[in-house]
Each structure stands twice: as structure tokens, then as C-alpha cells.
Amino acid sequence: MREAYHVELDRLADKLASMSGMVANAMELATKSLLETDLQLAEQVISDDEHVDDTRAQCEEQAYSLLALQAPVATELRKVLAVIHAAESLERMGDLALHVARTARRRHPDPVLPPEVTPYFAEMGKVAVRLARQTEEIIKTTDVDAARALESADDEVDNIHRHLFTVIMDKNWPHGVAAAVDTTLLGRFYERYADHAVSVANRMIFVVTGKMPGYNSDEDL
């Protein structure tokens, strides 16, 4: 009976990893639609978001079913709880890719980004997608070292995001308020996407170690 339970836990992890692959694809296509003013790609991201939402619902339903089926203990319980929280973060990553695609669609056929900031978004998109792909592998392997290494990649996105503000706030910015607002919001979408990827990786660390990175229980005493 316990062996069958572990099989179900493994299937649940596979579904979660698949979800990470979905949101990686979504951000990859959304970034391309943004940089290349490709309406078809933007529409694809928008329509595919329903699959991400459905997968989150399936993960949660299966997780709650496993909680009810038996009384999971130790690592088993951590796995189920991690899936519930991670599925929420992954769905949010899909939503953030959706926001990028909708922005590209709203401004079509005009480009959203001024040429001065386009390279920054190309780099943030590349790093964000890499984070999601690495998260997919971390879910499959529960590799703690790989999960901890994601923090440095997240810092890359944070640094670019901060630099965007200096570009927008420059007194010689020639592109007006609308372009500044779009650039600010889009930068925030990528920054939050990367943060959620790290959050999912941290949940996998919790599965293995029983502790959430950055959390000190003594602080609550």
C-alpha cells in the first residue's frame, strides 16, 4: 500500500515538472512575441494559459486526495505540501508570461519596447526561461545544490530590472510616459517570474531538508 502511495507521489511530481515546462515555453514565446511584434505567438501564449490553469487544478486535486487517502508523514507530507505551494507559484509564472503576451498584443502592430531597452528584455527573457527549465529538472531530481544555485540567476534578473529604472528616469528619455509605463510593468513581470521560480526551487529544498531557505524558526520565538 505504501509503495503504491509513493508511486502516486512520483506521478504528482512529474505533473508539477510538466507544469514548469509549460510556463517556460509560455515565457519563451511571450518574449519572442514582445521582441518581434509577433501577434500569432502572443495569441498562442494567451490561449495556452488555460492548460497551465488546468494543470494546477489537477495537481491540487491530486495532492488533496493523497492527503485524504493516508496520513502522510515526514518526507511524504512535505512533498504533498510542496506541490500545493509550488503549483500556485507556477500558475503565477504562467500568468506573468500571459501579461507579457497581452502587452505585445495590445500594442500590435507597433513595438512595445523602445530600442534602448530591447536588449535588456531579451536578456531577462533568456534568464527567466532558463530558470524555469532548471526548476523543471529540480522538481524531477530534488537536487538541493541546483536549487540553491538558482538564487544567482535570479540576481541577474533583479540587476537588470533595477538598471531599467535608471534608463527610464534619465532626463533625456525621449519616448514619453506610455513607453515608460510599459517598460516598468514588463520589467516587473520578468522580475516576479524569476522570483516565483526560486520559490518553487526552495520548496524542493524543503522536501529534502525539512527547512525553507531563509526561514529561521528562532525569529518567531
Side-chain angles (χ1 to χ4, degrees):
M1 185 67 178
R2 215 66 191 172
E3 184 177 345
Y5 194 73
H6 287 169
V7 169
E8 290 302 314
L9 284 173
D10 290 341
R11 288 176 179 169
L12 184 56
D14 289 342
K15 188 168 290 186
L16 192 71
S18 174
M19 191 177 176
S20 189
M22 289 181 194
V23 300
N25 292 339
M27 186 54 93
E28 186 171 36
L29 295 179
T31 301
K32 191 171 183 180
S33 74
L34 180 70
L35 298 176
E36 300 179 8
T37 62
D38 190 319
L39 181 60
Q40 184 175 354
L41 288 180
E43 295 287 4
Q44 182 178 339
V45 174
I46 293 166
S47 63
D48 286 350
D49 185 62
E50 183 178 348
H51 300 308
V52 177
D53 296 343
D54 288 345
T55 305
R56 181 207 172 166
Q58 293 167 14
C59 284
E60 288 189 340
E61 181 179 358
Q62 188 176 350
Y64 288 126
S65 176
L66 289 172
L67 283 173
L69 183 64
Q70 292 190 40
V73 295
T75 302
E76 295 173 350
L77 179 58
R78 293 200 298 269
K79 281 184 178 180
V80 176
L81 294 176
V83 165
I84 293 170
H85 289 289
E88 180 181 1
S89 288
L90 289 167
E91 184 191 28
R92 185 58 184 147
M93 290 165 71
D95 289 341
L96 291 162
L98 176 67
H99 294 336
V100 174
R102 283 178 171 167
T103 303
R105 182 177 69 175
R106 186 173 67 250
R107 296 300 186 191
H108 191 270
D110 296 322
V112 178
L113 300 170
E116 291 95 325
V117 299
T118 297
Y120 299 121
F121 282 92
E123 184 61 23
M124 280 197 296
K126 183 171 68 175
V127 175
V129 171
R130 187 175 79 236
L131 278 167
R133 302 281 186 214
Q134 290 173 335
T135 299
E136 181 180 2
E137 289 303 310
I138 288 165
I139 293 169
K140 293 177 181 177
T141 63
T142 59
D143 185 329
V144 170
D145 290 336
R148 286 175 173 150
L150 253 64
E151 288 280 0
S152 60
D154 178 47
D155 289 342
E156 293 179 49
V157 176
D158 290 341
N159 290 337
I160 297 172
H161 181 237
R162 282 192 293 270
H163 181 69
L164 282 172
F165 285 105
T166 66
V167 177
I168 296 167
M169 298 303 293
D170 190 292
K171 63 181 180 179
N172 295 318
W173 173 262
H175 303 289
V177 174
V181 170
D182 281 340
T183 300
T184 301
L185 288 176
L186 285 165
R188 178 63 173 166
F189 297 154
Y190 283 92
E191 187 259 345
R192 291 301 299 146
Y193 183 99
D195 285 347
H196 280 292
V198 172
S199 177
V200 174
N202 285 343
R203 293 290 172 185
M204 299 305 108
I205 295 174
F206 168 72
V207 168
V208 176
T209 67
K211 296 180 181 179
M212 279 292 292
Y215 175 73
N216 184 351
S217 60
D218 293 339
E219 292 176 356
D220 294 335
L221 297 179

